[in-house]
């Protein structure tokens, strides 16, 4: 795939998340659950090793900065946020002006920081948007100090499988993002890191209607970046067809939407 295609996809992701900056926190239920779980698992790793969090941490894909107060409370002396969406960086800095925090808009696959800049990296539900995971893990290892931790949460392949199945009844286009499985993530990660802990769990949200489901996805900036996607959703008739297929497949009064959550904490070699 040409580099220009990667660039367009990154620009699309950045634009979608920038537009969602002011609606994100209210809608991001799964993201907040995942963020707190990742922080808790990070604390468990420190406890097992009889050590504590310290120094400067990078919040990679910081969004609105939801996790920053928790990281500071757990021992980080300073947190630098990085997000491809400038709107998220602006919002996070406005929200967190009382904390030792700043944020910069940048690409996780080409970080603008010197080597060995951070004692740890925290990244909640960002890396699934990366087109070049090898580059992302290389950059994460480069900017970490020796033995630094990379704690990240991402989405697995069963994420939104209900929505994907319903769309397959409507048209042949790709409407739902494809996500890497745990084994693929580990393979790429272990080129630079040793795995300290790994956990996978499904979380299912219930929605009363398709419009409520799609409204929430829009509010958190979720966008389809796969090749083979259909421009737009296709109008009211197609959405009505989709909703009918969704309800028929699930045979319930609510529309479930699964998030296949994967949490990994890895240590730089």
């Amino acid at each position: 795939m040409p580099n220009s295609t990667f660039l367009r996809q990154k620009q699309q992701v950045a634009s979608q998340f920038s537009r969602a900056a002011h609606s994100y926190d209210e809608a991001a239920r799964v993201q907040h659950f995942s963020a707190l779980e990742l922080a808790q698992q990070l604390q468990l790793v420190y406890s097992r090793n009889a050590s504590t969090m310290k120094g400067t941490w990078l919040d990679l894909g910081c969004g609105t900065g939801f996790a920053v107060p928790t990281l500071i409370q757990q021992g980080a002396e300073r947190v630098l946020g990085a997000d491809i969406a400038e709107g998220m960086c602006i919002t996070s800095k406005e929200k967190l002006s009382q904390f030792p925090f700043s944020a910069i808009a940048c690409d996780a696959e080409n970080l603008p920081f010197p080597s060995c800049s951070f004692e740890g990296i925290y990244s909640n539900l960002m890396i699934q948007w990366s087109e070049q995971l090898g580059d992302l893990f290389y950059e994460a290892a480069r900017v970490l100090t020796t033995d630094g931790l990379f704690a990240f949460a991402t989405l697995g392949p069963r994420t939104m499988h209900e929505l994907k199945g319903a769309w397959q009844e409507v048209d042949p286009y790709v409407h739902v993002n494809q996500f890497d499985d745990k084994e693929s993530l580990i393979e790429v990660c272990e080129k630079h890191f040793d795995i300290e802990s790994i956990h996978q769990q499904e979380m299912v949200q219930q929605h009363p209607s398709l419009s409520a489901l799609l409204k929430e996805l829009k509010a958190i900036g979720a966008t389809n970046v796969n090749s083979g996607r259909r421009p737009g959703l296709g109008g009211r008739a197609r959405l009505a067809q989709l909703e009918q297929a969704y309800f028929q497949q699930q045979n319930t009064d609510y529309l479930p939407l699964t998030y296949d959550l994967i949490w990994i904490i890895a240590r730089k070699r």
Side-chain angles (χ1 to χ4, degrees):
M1 188 180 294
N3 290 336
S4 59
T5 302
F6 285 139
L7 179 59
R8 286 196 299 272
Q9 290 177 347
K10 288 179 180 182
Q11 290 171 340
Q12 180 189 2
V13 170
S15 177
Q16 288 286 101
F17 279 106
S18 283
R19 285 198 294 269
H22 294 291
S23 61
Y24 186 87
D25 279 335
E26 185 176 352
R29 294 177 291 164
V30 172
Q31 289 73 15
H32 289 169
F33 167 79
S34 175
L36 294 176
E37 179 65 24
L38 181 61
Q40 183 177 14
Q41 292 189 27
L42 186 57
Q43 279 289 84
L44 289 174
V45 167
Y46 275 113
S47 296
R48 286 200 301 268
N49 292 314
S51 58
T52 57
M53 186 184 295
K54 61 183 180 179
T56 301
W57 275 68
L58 175 65
D59 186 350
L60 190 59
C62 63
T64 60
F66 174 81
V68 171
T70 301
L71 295 176
I72 297 294
Q73 183 182 33
Q74 291 182 179
E77 297 162 22
R78 178 173 177 264
V79 178
L80 178 61
D83 202 292
I84 197 170
E86 187 173 3
M88 289 291 189
C89 294
I90 293 170
T91 298
S92 63
K93 286 189 287 188
E94 291 173 349
K95 285 179 53 182
L96 300 167
S97 58
Q98 73 274 34
F99 290 94
F101 170 80
S102 59
I104 182 172
C106 62
D107 184 353
E109 297 167 10
N110 186 23
L111 294 172
F113 311 119
S115 298
C116 304
S117 295
F118 304 99
E119 277 71 27
I121 299 174
Y122 173 99
S123 183
N124 181 53
L125 297 183
M126 183 283 296
I127 75 166
Q128 69 271 9
W129 301 111
S130 173
E131 293 289 342
Q132 298 290 322
L133 266 183
D135 292 346
L136 186 150
F137 281 107
Y138 171 84
E139 282 292 277
R142 181 184 64 79
V143 301
L144 277 171
T145 57
T146 303
D147 291 331
L149 291 179
F150 184 16
F152 63 92
T154 188
L155 297 174
R158 277 180 50 80
T159 298
M160 302 185 191
H161 68 87
E162 304 94 342
L163 181 58
K164 180 180 179 180
W167 268 120
Q168 288 173 344
E169 297 293 320
V170 176
D171 65 35
Y173 296 102
V174 178
H175 292 274
V176 179
N177 288 308
Q178 309 295 320
F179 301 111
D180 291 325
D181 60 27
K182 182 171 61 177
E183 291 71 27
S184 298
L185 288 168
I186 292 173
E187 182 180 357
V188 180
C189 183
E190 286 186 332
K191 293 179 180 178
H192 305 283
F193 297 89
D194 293 318
I195 305 295
E196 292 271 331
S197 72
I198 184 165
H199 180 61
Q200 187 167 11
Q201 175 185 333
E202 289 189 2
M203 181 178 180
V204 181
Q205 288 190 324
Q206 303 288 349
H207 300 271
S209 65
L210 180 67
S211 62
L213 185 155
L214 295 177
K215 181 179 180 181
E216 184 165 282
L217 291 180
K218 182 178 180 180
I220 62 174
T223 182
N224 177 14
V225 296
N226 289 287
S227 59
R229 64 185 182 272
R230 187 183 194 276
L233 292 174
R236 292 183 180 179
R238 189 171 295 274
L239 290 178
Q241 189 180 358
L242 174 64
E243 185 168 45
Q244 182 181 15
Y246 209 140
F247 274 115
Q248 286 177 346
Q249 283 190 3
Q250 301 304 320
N251 195 27
T252 63
D253 294 332
Y254 285 83
L255 298 179
L257 190 66
T258 295
Y259 288 84
D260 183 6
L261 297 165
I262 301 172
W263 297 275
I264 296 177
I265 299 177
R267 188 178 300 276
K268 178 181 174 179
R269 291 198 182 101

